[in-house]
Amino acid sequence: MRIETVAVDLGLRSYEVRIGPGLIGRAGAEIAPLLKRRKVAVVTDETVAAVHLEALVASFEAEGIAVTSLALPAGEGTKGWAQFAVCVEWLLEQKIERRDVVVAFGGGVIGDLVGFASAVLRRGVRFVQIPTTLLAQVDSSVGGKTGINTPQGKNLVGAFHQPSLVLADIDALATLPARDFLAGYGEVVKYGLLGDADFFDWLEANAPAMAAGDAGLRQYAVRRSVEMKAGIVSRDETEEGERALLNLGHTFCHALERATGYSDRLLHGEGVAIGCALAFELSQRMGLCSQEAPSRVRAHLKAMGMKTDLRDIPGDLPDAATLVGLMGQDKKVIDGRLRFVLARGIGEAFVAEDVPPGLVTGLLAEALR
């Protein structure tokens, strides 16, 4: 397999997403042209550090680049004020200057937190994303959304801050636990559902082999996902319109994540998969699409061994009215009205602002039974 490149076209802030095998071991050579001085600061988590940090550090040292690193605790709980403060203060202690480069090395939590830290450090320093999970490679590392969670909700504090480069090493996916890989797949399937029916057809045929370890199929899925995200971000960077389609499944997902305390009970990508299934069910109940569409979505997710229903989440959940209330803090709320990404069919998503709350409550009440 060769390295493939997808461009994110944002004028003077354009950058490349490079996708392929061996990129962690080549990171020093890939990043060196960006450096004004031969120094980088790497922020990662303890799980990624144990598996991949040695190879990354060696790649910088081979290029004569000095490297310091910080490993934060793994998990969604890290993505809050406390570890954000640890990260920012450490970067200041390392005397990172505005012309320097910070490296976010890990999954979506690290990418979001380190990107936000980079956005506010000295009013903005450059950063490079080296995503190590499927979810981060296909979604969170691309597009410049950074931020942290608060008690009021997910990603409510953050900034748009584009990376200078993204290196998606397909080999890193081989080290993921099966549950983490499948959680990331929730974001992959989202792209087919929101705007590329042919890609969804391809996933139905190829995703089982991809999950079983076929690196070539994995690279194609990552590249196609990144192509779709890059195109949307290039046209609508700050989510004034089309970019909102990327939130398919997320209004349900974010409420469920908050209800489960951002814990291992529900990984983000699992919530996205459940949210997509619910969004298609809601679309069908509103007469927007045929019954075949939600049935096909649910059948594919089940065939992949993924969570598809609220009943698949361990432990108790709040009642339907409470879950709808949790959606009220979502970033996608405008003038107090809930916005959902719905679909007229597979690959035909659109943003709806006129969804009756009672219909959502009824759907969730039924799903909780």
Side-chain angles (χ1 to χ4, degrees):
M1 295 189 302
R2 60 186 177 85
I3 306 299
E4 298 180 283
T5 300
V6 177
V8 183
D9 184 7
L10 291 167
L12 295 175
R13 293 172 300 110
S14 297
Y15 55 95
E16 292 184 346
V17 182
R18 297 173 193 159
I19 304 160
L23 280 167
I24 291 173
R26 291 177 42 177
E30 300 279 342
I31 293 170
L34 298 174
L35 302 181
K36 302 285 196 298
R37 60 173 176 162
R38 302 188 84 72
K39 173 180 179 176
V40 295
V42 176
V43 184
T44 185
D45 70 38
E46 291 162 355
T47 301
V48 173
V51 180
H52 297 297
L53 185 59
E54 186 177 342
L56 181 67
V57 169
S59 82
F60 286 120
E61 292 177 342
E63 299 294 321
I65 299 167
V67 55
T68 55
S69 63
L70 169 69
L72 298 172
E76 189 77 25
T78 288
K79 195 175 145 179
W81 288 114
Q83 295 300 328
F84 175 71
V86 169
C87 179
V88 171
E89 289 174 12
W90 180 81
L91 289 169
L92 290 170
E93 288 165 6
Q94 302 309 304
K95 297 183 171 59
I96 295 301
E97 300 174 2
R98 186 176 285 180
R99 62 183 182 153
D100 290 333
V101 169
V102 176
V103 176
F105 185 41
V109 167
I110 289 295
D112 285 5
L113 184 145
V114 178
F116 185 32
S118 300
V120 300
L121 187 74
R122 302 190 189 279
R123 297 197 177 98
V125 302
R126 294 172 300 152
F127 80 114
V128 169
Q129 290 266 22
I130 307 182
T132 57
T133 65
L134 181 59
L135 187 147
Q137 289 188 4
V138 302
D139 188 64
S140 58
S141 68
V142 180
K145 279 188 176 181
T146 71
I148 57 172
N149 304 330
T150 64
Q152 290 78 18
K154 190 175 173 75
N155 296 329
L156 292 176
V157 177
F160 286 99
H161 186 52
Q162 299 293 342
S164 298
L165 177 67
V166 180
L167 301 175
D169 189 337
I170 295 300
D171 291 340
L173 303 180
T175 64
L176 290 178
R179 184 185 179 196
D180 287 330
F181 184 88
L182 285 178
Y185 184 72
E187 292 282 7
V188 175
V189 78
K190 176 192 78 176
Y191 288 106
L193 295 175
L194 72 87
D196 189 346
D198 289 342
F199 185 42
F200 185 76
D201 293 345
W202 184 90
L203 290 170
E204 285 181 314
N206 293 285
M210 184 180 80
D214 187 305
L217 296 176
R218 289 179 172 190
Q219 181 159 330
Y220 175 80
V222 171
R223 193 198 81 216
R224 182 66 196 121
S225 298
V226 170
E227 283 174 346
M228 290 190 67
K229 175 125 191 213
I232 290 172
V233 169
S234 296
R235 293 185 294 271
D236 179 24
E237 180 182 5
T238 57
E239 204 169 301
E240 301 300 316
E242 182 187 10
R243 187 167 182 173
L245 296 177
L246 295 170
N247 294 315
L248 177 63
H250 283 62
T251 302
F252 290 110
C253 169
H254 288 171
L256 293 170
E257 284 184 286
R258 196 168 159 213
T260 52
Y262 306 118
S263 68
D264 280 351
R265 284 176 61 194
L266 183 72
L267 302 180
H268 176 69
E270 294 173 335
V272 171
I274 293 171
C276 285
L278 287 168
F280 269 80
E281 183 65 35
L282 181 59
S283 299
Q284 190 272 324
R285 291 187 181 201
M286 292 179 67
L288 297 167
C289 67
S290 69
Q291 178 58 53
E292 181 200 1
S295 298
R296 192 175 162 199
V297 172
R298 202 173 288 274
H300 176 58
L301 295 174
K302 283 186 180 297
M304 291 296 291
M306 298 177 69
K307 290 179 169 66
T308 58
D309 297 294
L310 299 188
R311 293 184 296 275
D312 295 333
I313 302 170
D316 293 330
L317 288 172
D319 63 20
T322 303
L323 286 174
V324 172
L326 291 177
M327 294 176 187
Q329 265 283 15
D330 196 88
K331 299 186 306 303
K332 295 173 285 300
V333 170
I334 293 181
D335 295 332
R337 289 184 302 172
L338 281 177
R339 292 201 302 168
F340 286 87
V341 182
L342 301 178
R344 296 184 178 91
I346 287 171
E348 299 178 73
F350 68 99
V351 178
E353 299 183 6
D354 52 356
V355 179
L359 200 59
V360 180
T361 305
L363 173 67
L364 291 171
E366 200 172 300
L368 284 165
R369 285 189 201 123

